[in-house]
Amino acid sequence: MVQEKFKKIIGIQLLSSTLVVCFILYKLANTSLISTKFLEFVLYLACMMTQIFVYCWYGNQLKLKSVEVVDTIFELDWISLDNRSKKDLINIMRRAMNPIELTCAYIFTIDLRTFVTILKMSYSTYNFLQRTKVN
């Protein structure tokens, strides 16, 4: 239900934030290192990356906590429960074996791996722009 409500909103937010990061990197590649504009762009870049990081961090936490459900159920004193409760716990464990993951437009899983991918892409973009600037 959460996935259905937020997939478009989070998708648009992450896409626009990633585009802003790319534009900031382009501006950084064309700005002098000792200017105040460079510092402004670096601070704005840090804010945008923090914004992306928050989504990815909580998406990763959701995934990790959903995986912990199986371990928590297994650690219960389930042997002393009645058969109906045992069957219910087994069904919960089966469902919990597949982690809950938020996705962005069914393409990207919102987790720390996605954040690292965005960082790598941003750094690659920056390097490309730096090489283009020199030539």
Side-chain angles (χ1 to χ4, degrees):
M1 183 174 69
V2 172
Q3 175 70 23
E4 288 301 315
K5 296 285 183 189
F6 290 107
K7 71 180 175 191
K8 291 178 184 174
I9 295 168
I10 292 173
I12 291 169
Q13 181 67 39
L14 284 177
L15 179 65
S16 62
S17 296
T18 303
L19 287 173
V20 168
V21 166
C22 289
F23 288 131
I24 292 170
L25 288 172
Y26 177 75
K27 294 299 270 182
L28 276 174
N30 295 319
T31 305
S32 172
L33 291 174
I34 56 173
S35 69
T36 57
K37 280 289 185 194
F38 186 82
L39 180 61
E40 288 176 21
F41 289 140
V42 168
L43 292 174
Y44 190 53
L45 178 65
C47 290
M48 294 307 293
M49 293 306 288
T50 302
Q51 182 179 3
I52 295 169
F53 177 75
V54 168
Y55 283 116
C56 293
W57 172 263
Y58 284 107
N60 193 62
Q61 289 299 315
L62 175 67
K63 183 177 179 179
L64 293 176
K65 292 296 181 185
S66 71
V67 170
E68 288 177 10
V69 170
V70 175
D71 295 332
T72 304
I73 291 173
F74 190 74
E75 291 172 0
L76 289 173
D77 186 23
W78 55 271
I79 295 174
S80 64
L81 297 174
D82 61 271
N83 285 337
R84 174 80 175 144
S85 297
K86 287 179 187 177
K87 287 179 184 179
D88 290 341
L89 285 176
I90 288 173
N91 286 331
I92 293 170
M93 286 176 73
R94 282 186 188 152
R95 169 56 186 101
M97 290 248 196
N98 297 327
I100 299 170
E101 296 178 332
L102 290 178
T103 58
C104 173
Y106 299 111
I107 300 171
F108 300 108
T109 302
I110 300 174
D111 58 5
L112 291 178
R113 188 177 312 145
T114 302
F115 181 73
V116 171
T117 302
I118 291 171
L119 283 177
K120 287 179 181 179
M121 181 197 67
S122 299
Y123 184 71
S124 297
T125 303
Y126 179 74
N127 280 334
F128 174 75
L129 293 172
Q130 280 296 92
R131 288 183 189 158
T132 306
K133 180 181 157 186
V134 172
N135 295 333

